[in-house]
Amino acid sequence: MMNISRRDALRTAGVAAVGAALAGWASGCSSVPVGGAANAAAGNLLETAKAQGFLRVAIANEPPYTQVSADGVVSGCEPDVLRAVCKRLGIADIQGIVTPYGSMIPGLNANRWDVIAAGLFMKQSRCSQVAYSEPVIVSTESYATPKGNPKGITSIAAITADPSLRIAVLPGGFEEGILKTANVPESQQVKVTDGRSGIEAVKANRADAFLLPSLSLRALAKDDAGFEVTEALKDAPRTGSGAAFRTADSSFQEAYNKELAAFKKTPEFGQILTKWGFDPAVVEGVTAQELCQTAG
């Protein structure tokens, strides 16, 4: 799914850590050196990306937001939309770099990649650091709990009301920001490295619940029947995500938004969202300006 998340957070199932040197490229075409566009921010990003044939993109490995297959092909809802819009701009493909959510904005502003397309949910702190496109997806939050949800955890308010509850979250994720905004103390937060470790924390009774985007948890549940997913939390803030650019690349952002708006009117946009389990109708009329008002 989201102080950097994602959702926003799995958020991140199978995400590989990235150090000062970038750990890995993954894409549908051949890998290329990281330095290929290292100086793009100093010039015209659109022209640079068109000339070199790709745009460097920070991703997670968190279906349905992002996905990297065994053969290195980058897909998922956000990368698929990004790739389609880039083609409309004359950019042949995208090159994915798998990185933790907490590294995405710092890496973007350090010119390690050109865009983030990873379900990096919009909120005030992020919107002050990057230039978001208009939303591609709008998301809800849920808990993963033991089977039967024995402690009846179905809201954020339940956590603040019971100091004995322990909630697993991803450091830097949107969900961690939700808990901080609700003044949930650190003593009630169980920090986990990715979606799978969050589920294992619940199953091993190290956490009473795991807070993550609803779709991320449902994706994990497809391969693991040892937990259940609550309905969407009514008191969690609505959020969504789109591509995030450096503020210096505002001209690229404007060109991207123009093509994104046109792409949203095509059947392909709805097909991509539906393929990955999102409802394209939910995005209609939602703006980045609105989602950037989310606290955190």
Side-chain angles (χ1 to χ4, degrees):
M1 358 174 314
M2 115 32 162
N3 256 348
I4 297 182
S5 142
R6 79 148 221 119
R7 265 46 233 94
D8 281 215
L10 252 159
R11 308 202 45 282
T12 46
V15 169
V18 176
L22 294 179
W25 282 86
S27 89
C29 55
S30 60
S31 297
V32 299
V34 171
N39 297 317
N44 186 312
L45 177 58
L46 178 58
E47 293 307 315
T48 299
K50 288 168 66 175
Q52 67 190 9
F54 64 89
L55 195 69
R56 302 171 304 161
V57 52
I59 60 172
N61 188 12
E62 181 196 346
Y65 301 92
T66 59
Q67 178 172 288
V68 183
S69 66
D71 59 1
V73 175
V74 174
S75 61
C77 186
E78 293 238 40
D80 284 358
V81 171
L82 176 69
R83 181 182 285 110
V85 176
C86 280
K87 287 181 178 179
R88 296 174 70 98
L89 288 166
I91 302 168
D93 204 355
I94 59 174
Q95 295 282 352
I97 305 169
V98 179
T99 185
Y101 281 92
S103 300
M104 288 182 179
I105 288 180
L108 178 69
N109 288 327
N111 300 335
R112 293 175 184 150
W113 34 82
D114 307 306
V115 59
I116 302 166
L120 189 71
F121 290 168
M122 300 179 198
K123 57 182 180 178
Q124 292 173 4
S125 61
R126 291 179 183 153
C127 294
S128 69
Q129 299 177 70
V130 299
Y132 274 102
S133 73
E134 291 301 328
V136 169
I137 57 175
V138 174
S139 184
T140 60
E141 302 288 329
S142 292
Y143 288 120
T145 70
K147 299 292 285 186
N149 192 2
K151 296 195 176 180
I153 308 172
T154 58
S155 66
I156 302 299
I159 310 306
T160 60
D162 186 349
S164 72
L165 294 177
R166 300 156 299 162
I167 307 302
V169 289
L170 285 153
F174 182 78
E175 294 73 27
E176 182 186 48
I178 291 175
L179 297 188
K180 287 183 177 180
T181 300
N183 295 316
V184 175
E186 289 285 332
S187 60
Q188 286 184 256
Q189 299 182 36
V190 178
K191 304 303 171 67
V192 295
T193 57
D194 55 34
R196 177 50 53 194
S197 64
I199 296 301
E200 292 305 320
V202 170
K203 293 168 66 175
N205 197 35
R206 295 193 305 273
D208 299 302
F210 178 28
L211 180 59
L212 211 63
S214 305
L215 283 176
S216 297
L217 291 174
R218 290 171 190 156
L220 286 168
K222 290 180 180 179
D223 300 317
D224 189 339
F227 68 97
E228 68 179 54
V229 181
T230 68
E231 295 296 323
L233 307 183
K234 294 182 179 180
D235 60 347
R238 180 171 78 160
T239 188
S241 62
F245 303 97
R246 288 180 288 269
T247 55
D249 292 322
S250 57
S251 60
F252 187 97
Q253 176 209 24
E254 292 173 6
Y256 185 89
N257 270 335
K258 180 179 179 181
E259 290 301 331
L260 175 61
F263 182 60
K264 284 182 175 180
K265 297 177 181 178
T266 70
E268 186 180 356
F269 176 75
Q271 290 165 3
I272 290 174
L273 266 68
T274 301
K275 172 185 176 180
W276 293 104
F278 293 95
D279 182 356
V282 175
V283 188
E284 294 177 8
V286 182
T287 66
Q289 182 179 17
E290 172 193 344
L291 297 181
C292 281
Q293 301 307 308
T294 300

